[in-house]
């Protein structure tokens, strides 16, 4: 037993004299500091400060960075995929992607101009089955009336934003309600830019992209590029004729 006690004393003396205790304390202190720093980055003022600083630096950099080269590369990849796969018959997907990625050359758009684009959408997608044929200089399917109405929501005292709605509709909405579009708009009270931001909920994936009409793609493009809508008029209506023309029949 005496030998065992002597061994403990000897080993203890060695540990105390050879720096082992110093090393253990150093490791524990280092570990404690690392955990404290990691914890500070996970939550609290330090995490918030670092996040804000990173956003201040990175966001303007990304916004101003020319991504055109990458878009061209992605366009090339998609083209190869379409040409080499069963998607050969779905070229519309590629065309829609190319249209969506092309940056608008405008920073704002009048509501009356957006209405013109909606009328083109109606003309492309109007169901002509059973429609009467009108004759003037050339045969046309009976026109459909398209409308738009801009309405600003009642202002909320507690909110820093204003909201509005654009309703694009046709007079035969029960028969062709798929032509109707409701677009939500918002405006931050402190925003120095004119006009309203578009708030489109649609996030197209690869499958849905080929089925979207050019008008819906336009809304997505305008939103992505932060093109503002200028409400130059609160409402209007107009006749729209189908792009599909009646085929003459001979009796």
């Amino acid at each position: 037993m005496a030998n065992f006690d002597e061994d403990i004393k000897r080993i203890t003396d060695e540990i105390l004299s050879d720096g082992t205790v110093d090393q253990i304390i150093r490791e524990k202190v280092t570990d404690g500091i690392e955990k404290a720093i990691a914890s500070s980055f996970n939550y609290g003022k330090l995490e918030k400060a670092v996040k804000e600083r990173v956003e201040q630096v990175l966001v303007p950099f990304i916004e101003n960075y020319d991504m055109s080269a990458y878009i061209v590369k992605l366009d090339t990849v998609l083209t190869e995929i379409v040409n080499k796969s069963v998607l050969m018959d779905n070229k519309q997907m590629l065309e829609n992607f190319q249209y969506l990625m092309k940056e608008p050359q405008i920073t704002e758009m009048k509501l009356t101009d957006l209405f013109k684009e909606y009328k083109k959408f109606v003309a492309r997608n109007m169901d002509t089955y059973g429609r009467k044929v009108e004759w003037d200089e050339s045969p046309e399917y009976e026109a459909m009336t398209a409308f738009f109405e801009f309405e600003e929501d009642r202002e909320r005292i507690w909110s820093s934003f204003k909201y509005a709605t654009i309703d694009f509709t046709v007079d035969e909405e029960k028969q062709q309600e798929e032509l109707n579009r409701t677009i939500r708009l918002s405006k931050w009270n402190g925003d120095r830019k004119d006009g309203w931001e578009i708030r489109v909920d649609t996030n197209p994936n690869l499958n849905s992209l080929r089925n979207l009409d050019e008008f819906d793609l336009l809304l997505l493009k305008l939103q992505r590029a932060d093109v503002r809508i200028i409400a130059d008029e609160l409402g209007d209506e107009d006749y729209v004729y189908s792009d599909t023309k009646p085929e003459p029949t001979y009796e």
Side-chain angles (χ1 to χ4, degrees), residues 131-154:
R131 296 192 72 81
K132 296 179 180 179
V133 176
E134 299 177 347
W135 285 84
D136 190 2
E137 295 181 359
S138 60
E140 298 270 9
Y141 285 109
E142 182 183 13
M144 177 181 288
T145 306
F147 307 84
F148 87 83
E149 182 179 6
F150 173 89
E151 184 175 3
E152 188 171 345
D153 294 0
R154 182 182 299 177

Side-chain angles (χ1 to χ4, degrees), residues 84-110:
K84 293 181 180 180
S85 71
V86 294
L87 297 178
M88 190 65 182
D89 294 333
N90 296 316
K91 295 262 184 177
Q92 189 64 44
M93 179 188 69
L94 180 60
E95 293 175 4
N96 285 351
F97 171 79
Q98 293 170 332
Y99 175 81
L100 185 60
M101 289 296 101
K102 188 178 297 183
E103 289 294 329
Q105 301 301 309
I106 56 175
T107 58
E108 59 184 41
M109 187 175 195
K110 293 180 181 179

Side-chain angles (χ1 to χ4, degrees), residues 3 5 48 86 91 110 145 161 171 175 179 204 210 218:
N3 290 338
D5 292 342
K48 183 178 179 181
V86 294
K91 295 262 184 177
K110 293 180 181 179
T145 306
F161 287 85
D171 57 345
Q175 291 81 10
L179 298 180
R210 63 174 172 265
L218 173 63

Side-chain angles (χ1 to χ4, degrees), residues 47-105:
E47 186 269 344
K48 183 178 179 181
V50 172
K51 181 179 179 181
E52 289 178 352
R53 186 57 181 160
V54 169
E55 288 180 349
Q56 289 173 4
V57 175
L58 284 183
V59 171
F61 176 78
I62 295 298
E63 288 179 343
N64 296 323
Y65 192 79
D66 184 8
M67 307 291 268
S68 57
Y70 297 98
I71 292 174
V72 171
K73 291 179 181 179
L74 184 55
D75 189 7
T76 302
V77 171
L78 281 178
T79 302
E80 292 178 359
I81 292 174
V82 169
N83 290 335
K84 293 181 180 180
S85 71
V86 294
L87 297 178
M88 190 65 182
D89 294 333
N90 296 316
K91 295 262 184 177
Q92 189 64 44
M93 179 188 69
L94 180 60
E95 293 175 4
N96 285 351
F97 171 79
Q98 293 170 332
Y99 175 81
L100 185 60
M101 289 296 101
K102 188 178 297 183
E103 289 294 329
Q105 301 301 309

